[in-house]
Amino acid sequence: MRKSLSKVLAATLSAAMVFAMAGCGSSDKATTDNTNQSATEGTSESSETGEVRGKTMKVMISEEPSTDNALKNALDKWAAESGNTYETIILSNDDQKTKFTSMAKNNSLPDLISTVGIHQLYPEEFVDVSTIVDISKFEQTPLNIIGKAFTEDVYSGLPVQFTTTCFYYNEDLFTQAGIEAPTAENPWTLDQLYENAALLQEKTGVKYGFAADVSRARYDILMYANGGKLVEKDGDTFKITLNSATNVDTLNQFVKANEDGVMPKAIWAGATTDNPVEYFKNGDAAILLSGSWNYNTFANEISKFQYGIMTSPTGSASRSAIIGGGALAVPKNGENSDVAIDFLKWLYTDENFKAYLQNDKGLSSMKGIIYEPESDKARIDYEKLQDEVNQVTETFETDESSSWRVYKDAEYRDTLKRAVSGELTAQEALDSFAKELSAESGWSIAE
Amino acid sequence: MNKKKQAFCHTRAFWMFVAPAFILFTIFFLVPLVLSIGLSFTNFDGWKKMDLIGLKNYIKILKDIEFYKTMIRTFIYTAVNLPFKVILPLLVAVLVTSKLLKGTTFIRTVVYIPVLLSALVVGITINWMFGQEYGLINFLIQNVGGTPLEWALNSKLATFVISFASNWASIGYFMILFIGGINNIPRELFEAANVDGASKVQVFFKIMLPMLSPTIFIVLLLSTVNLLKEYALIQGISLGGPGTSTTYIIQYMFDQGFNQSKYGYASAVGVIVSFVFIIITIIQFKFTKGGGEV
């Protein structure tokens, strides 16, 4: 009897261990939150009007939403109105990229994904949203940049967060240094940007005159402003131009600003996890090249100095900006994709999207619907952000149309970092990346 | 008959004990190993592209200058850190097993605490200490009028920070192994040495070290493997920079696979690296005779 009991116990323990380990292995770092699930859980049914009721939609988002998160508020309102419920699955954007394929293969995709680019990389896995919502209601440029697949002529997602690159500046430091912020009528040149950044350091003692996010999209606006481009059209295909003399000059100027200490070299040399946004918030950087998504964070977190949006500088060709953002996409194989479709139809009505945008305080991708800030200062800043959106260059749109990012993306940024660190010269760095991109894409390198 | 039954029971008990470990080993090691070897002959992109391409990945790796640079960097990092990985915990273990020292339990606990932290938490802690802009060390240096050190810009300093973190995080674990080894040395040997008038240094080199050979071998082996596959710590501290100066082979492999979606190529790197690691381990076995001699 005792022997049998021992055997059963041993077998149970072994089985428990196996299951426990298997559980660890399949966690995928995703966390689920049964938000709003208790209200109307029950049998699935469809009303006569075609509306879906009584179902639970699984929504994947990249970070835990705060209570005033615009998407969360929209989901709550939709759930209350529609009689459906939703669960959130948290998976960071990076993890979404590495785990999406496994989830798709295992048929464990959620019903709705809030994502930056997954739908563009794997459009065949997503519902064509032009069959759900009238896409003529959207501004064409953000719709194409955020919603359109990289390699197919299909809209696999709808813009939910529309952002632009922009320059923030510390007003107090500018006043102290006697420097006037540039305006749309009188923008700085790129040379003036670096000169004034150095002047700010000299006159105010600020640690860094200018800092930029470690993102190739931030660096690229300097390249586009100087007339540079990554690729150019060559009939039905493309030619790689990213190692052109113009681009080498832009990178050399950027490297020099880092070498001179005008910019925090550690950030772009790539050996620190420091975030330049923190430098700006702490008053250690006078000018920050980042994006519109930081505006509300700054409004909530910066209290020790005044800050504002500064008109972007003009290079040898023009001013420039890069737009982007997040999209909502519906996986075809989601268990309740019909509920997700119902949600999208609900969200992208004028009334609901306006309410969403007022919460999000972001730029609008829908025609005729804009966020209306309450304060005059915020209104002025939003006008400046809107002006930045208009600075998107044709070269950027051509580069995006090439879908070069399908082949290489983070590698480009890493190449730039190697140039800033001094490991490679600007010419060597860009030549090496041009070769890599050429090998992957099959495009030739322009002479 | 009775003996046969007994033998059968023994065998069955053996397999019952071994089965959980064997199942886990198969699921989490053997299956991925076989898959990885298989994938190394394909151009698998993690999604739908998977064609057999023969030895192309291997040929590409052997022509890739970055692979060689990263391997050499990994070997240098391992060779430089290996003595510290063995000597420091050994000295601490000798210290905390000494009857002359008070508060040894407290010291053991303090030294062991970093072992309980995940590599990423160690990375964050080290960043807090060695951060270039807001780090504790630079803050202290500036407070005494010094010039802050460029931890994130100087490749030697960046490597030092990673080495420091790696040793700090592992010293407690190896200390425990050495304490076990020291406690297993028969007391009579020390007493005899004492009677013969041997000095403390002679006791250490002539008795303790030879008797600790098996432990030293284990520490040497584990340290070598851990150093060769250093990854999480680097992600938490330097991200492989400045430039690629702290990018070691596992990070290179991870980058090729997960960031660049070249799973086939990364698998081939993994296979080559595994062979290299196995050869290093065999050499260590040969040189130390499996811990029989040092």
Side-chain angles (χ1 to χ4, degrees):
Chain A
M1 181 66 185
R2 189 179 287 175
K3 268 186 180 174
S4 307
L5 200 67
S6 303
K7 282 177 192 170
V8 171
L9 189 65
T12 313
L13 281 174
S14 308
M17 207 161 98
V18 171
F19 281 117
M21 291 299 285
C24 291
S26 63
S27 74
D28 274 357
K29 283 187 192 169
T31 53
T32 56
D33 173 21
N34 297 337
T35 308
N36 207 0
Q37 208 179 352
S38 59
T40 50
E41 218 164 13
T43 52
S44 304
E45 57 186 57
S46 295
S47 70
E48 285 176 4
T49 56
E51 286 176 351
V52 190
R53 301 185 71 81
K55 284 189 175 182
T56 299
M57 172 173 70
K58 284 185 182 163
V59 187
M60 184 188 283
I61 50 179
S62 62
E63 56 187 26
E64 188 70 49
S66 58
T67 47
D68 57 354
N69 178 276
L71 184 60
K72 183 185 179 303
N73 285 339
L75 283 163
D76 286 341
K77 195 173 173 213
W78 162 80
E81 283 180 19
S82 71
N84 291 300
T85 58
Y86 72 92
E87 282 177 18
T88 50
I89 301 168
I90 315 291
L91 199 62
S92 72
N93 285 322
D94 283 348
D95 284 343
Q96 282 185 19
K97 195 179 166 194
T98 54
K99 293 189 169 68
F100 178 82
T101 51
S102 309
M103 294 174 83
K105 282 175 189 164
N106 296 334
N107 278 330
S108 59
L109 286 172
D111 305 308
L112 183 70
I113 299 185
S114 171
T115 179
V116 180
I118 294 293
H119 62 295
Q120 292 171 301
L121 279 170
Y122 308 105
E124 67 276 20
E125 293 297 317
F126 292 91
V127 173
D128 178 355
V129 288
S130 66
T131 62
I132 303 172
V133 173
D134 175 12
I135 56 168
S136 66
K137 294 200 290 189
F138 291 86
E139 301 284 355
Q140 200 58 44
T141 310
L143 181 67
N144 286 348
I145 301 288
I146 303 167
K148 203 172 175 182
F150 284 146
T151 51
E152 291 175 34
D153 196 17
V154 64
Y155 293 97
S156 48
L158 288 168
V160 70
Q161 198 190 32
F162 175 35
T163 57
T164 177
T165 52
C166 66
F167 287 76
Y168 295 92
Y169 74 106
N170 184 320
E171 284 184 20
D172 292 5
L173 291 173
F174 270 53
T175 309
Q176 202 182 323
I179 294 173
E180 269 189 39
T183 59
E185 297 73 34
N186 191 20
W188 286 352
T189 61
L190 275 179
D191 289 338
Q192 281 176 311
L193 170 73
Y194 290 121
E195 283 162 15
N196 283 321
L199 201 62
L200 278 157
Q201 281 179 294
E202 190 188 314
K203 291 198 170 177
T204 67
V206 66
K207 249 181 195 169
Y208 301 107
F210 172 41
D213 289 348
V214 191
S215 159
R216 56 102 200 146
R218 247 60 87 222
Y219 167 79
D220 277 353
I221 76 154
L222 309 175
M223 175 194 73
Y224 290 127
N226 276 338
K229 53 196 170 186
L230 299 173
V231 295
E232 65 186 13
K233 266 275 194 199
D234 182 29
D236 290 341
T237 181
F238 294 90
K239 269 191 173 174
I240 296 166
T241 55
L242 67 89
N243 56 340
S244 66
T246 313
N247 287 2
V248 172
D249 287 346
T250 305
L251 183 53
N252 271 327
Q253 193 178 29
F254 188 72
V255 171
K256 187 175 182 304
N258 278 279
E259 285 291 336
D260 293 347
V262 172
M263 297 183 75
K265 188 181 170 186
I267 299 276
W268 268 88
T272 177
T273 51
D274 280 4
N275 186 346
V277 170
E278 298 301 319
Y279 288 17
F280 183 75
K281 286 200 287 191
N282 291 338
D284 288 331
I287 300 167
L288 174 71
L289 168 53
S290 186
S292 56
W293 56 89
N294 277 321
Y295 191 83
N296 291 307
T297 313
F298 288 172
N300 293 329
E301 294 179 13
I302 297 177
S303 57
K304 60 180 182 183
F305 61 86
Q306 294 292 313
Y307 69 92
I309 303 281
M310 183 180 109
T311 299
S312 57
T314 180
S316 55
S318 64
R319 286 171 58 199
S320 80
I322 287 182
I323 57 171
L328 289 176
V330 182
K332 284 177 185 167
N333 295 328
E335 197 181 336
N336 287 322
S337 54
D338 53 339
V339 198
I341 289 169
D342 183 72
F343 172 69
L344 291 190
K345 283 179 180 169
W346 177 89
L347 178 66
Y348 290 102
T349 56
D350 290 0
E351 183 194 351
N352 290 328
F353 196 72
K354 171 89 181 169
Y356 165 82
L357 208 58
Q358 281 302 118
N359 281 328
D360 186 55
K361 300 182 175 69
L363 296 166
S364 176
S365 54
M366 272 180 88
K367 290 173 186 165
I369 298 175
I370 54 162
Y371 163 56
E372 289 164 7
E374 284 169 11
S375 76
D376 287 341
K377 183 189 178 310
R379 197 166 295 128
I380 292 166
D381 284 341
Y382 270 86
E383 279 168 15
K384 287 180 184 169
L385 287 176
Q386 204 58 53
D387 177 51
E388 290 301 323
V389 172
N390 299 330
Q391 306 309 320
V392 171
T393 60
E394 281 180 20
T395 44
F396 167 68
E397 292 192 43
T398 307
D399 285 348
E400 284 297 291
S401 70
S402 76
S403 306
W404 69 273
R405 283 191 279 149
V406 171
Y407 307 107
K408 298 271 175 186
D409 193 347
E411 297 76 25
Y412 174 39
R413 180 204 58 203
D414 293 342
T415 304
L416 298 172
K417 282 160 89 172
R418 291 180 76 180
V420 174
S421 75
E423 202 171 279
L424 299 174
T425 64
Q427 184 76 61
E428 285 168 349
L430 294 180
D431 281 348
S432 109
F433 183 68
K435 272 183 198 162
E436 279 185 43
L437 184 58
S438 175
E440 287 286 322
S441 63
W443 302 330
S444 60
I445 300 172
E447 292 298 319
Chain B
M1 182 66 187
N2 205 18
K3 269 190 179 175
K4 265 189 178 176
K5 197 178 173 186
Q6 213 173 9
F8 173 72
C9 283
H10 266 286
T11 312
R12 197 174 53 178
F14 168 79
W15 282 112
M16 275 188 72
F17 277 109
V18 166
F22 182 73
I23 291 167
L24 292 177
F25 184 74
T26 306
I27 293 172
F28 294 111
F29 184 79
L30 288 182
V31 173
L33 179 71
V34 172
L35 280 177
S36 186
I37 292 171
L39 287 178
S40 70
F41 298 105
T42 70
N43 59 356
F44 185 47
D45 65 349
W47 188 225
K48 289 180 176 170
K49 190 166 82 177
M50 188 161 75
D51 312 308
L52 272 175
I53 55 165
L55 293 170
K56 274 187 184 167
N57 283 331
Y58 290 94
I59 294 165
K60 199 173 164 193
I61 291 167
L62 296 176
K63 287 181 179 171
D64 183 359
I65 191 82
E66 285 303 318
F67 172 76
Y68 290 110
K69 278 185 186 172
T70 313
M71 270 309 252
I72 290 167
R73 207 178 292 129
T74 310
F75 288 144
I76 293 172
Y77 171 75
T78 304
V80 169
N81 277 286
L82 199 53
F84 296 101
K85 287 269 183 181
V86 180
I87 295 167
L88 290 178
L90 175 62
L91 293 180
V92 176
V94 170
L95 205 67
V96 296
T97 48
S98 164
K99 284 175 184 155
L100 301 171
L101 195 72
K102 299 279 179 206
T104 51
T105 310
F106 175 73
I107 295 171
R108 285 181 200 198
T109 311
V110 169
V111 174
Y112 193 75
I113 282 174
V115 179
L116 303 173
L117 306 176
S118 80
L120 274 176
V121 175
V122 170
I124 291 163
T125 313
I126 293 293
N127 258 338
W128 173 75
M129 288 166 69
F130 292 96
Q132 185 152 318
E133 295 298 331
Y134 306 120
L136 177 70
I137 306 288
N138 272 354
F139 173 77
L140 294 175
I141 291 173
Q142 280 173 298
N143 266 8
V144 294
T147 310
L149 293 170
E150 295 187 321
W151 304 112
L153 286 178
N154 184 313
S155 58
K156 289 191 179 81
L157 282 178
T159 309
F160 164 78
V161 173
I162 291 165
S163 303
F164 175 86
S166 177
N167 279 287
W168 178 67
S170 66
I171 198 167
Y173 178 70
F174 295 134
M175 172 196 74
I176 295 289
L177 294 186
F178 279 125
I179 290 172
I182 291 169
N183 287 338
N184 279 337
I185 300 172
R187 296 293 100 186
E188 295 79 12
L189 290 176
F190 294 113
E191 284 162 14
N194 200 23
V195 170
D196 290 344
S199 69
K200 297 280 179 200
V201 176
Q202 281 174 320
V203 169
F204 179 75
F205 283 107
K206 300 287 181 187
I207 296 175
M208 204 179 267
L209 266 190
M211 293 302 285
L212 282 176
S213 294
T215 315
I216 291 171
F217 170 72
I218 291 292
V219 172
L220 207 61
L221 197 69
L222 292 175
S223 301
T224 308
V225 174
N226 287 343
L227 285 166
L228 287 170
K229 63 187 181 71
E230 198 83 83
Y231 173 71
L233 207 56
I234 296 159
Q235 281 300 100
I237 298 173
S238 71
L239 300 167
T244 53
S245 61
T246 57
T247 300
Y248 302 123
I249 196 65
I250 301 298
Q251 203 174 22
Y252 173 81
M253 191 165 70
F254 190 92
D255 181 57
Q256 294 291 325
F258 294 103
N259 293 339
Q260 300 195 33
S261 296
K262 296 195 287 197
Y263 288 84
Y265 184 82
S267 296
V269 174
V271 172
I272 292 178
V273 166
S274 299
F275 268 110
V276 173
F277 287 9
I278 288 168
I279 290 167
I280 291 171
T281 311
I282 291 170
I283 292 171
Q284 279 189 327
F285 256 98
K286 291 277 179 201
F287 265 87
T288 60
K289 298 193 173 150
E293 286 172 30
V294 172

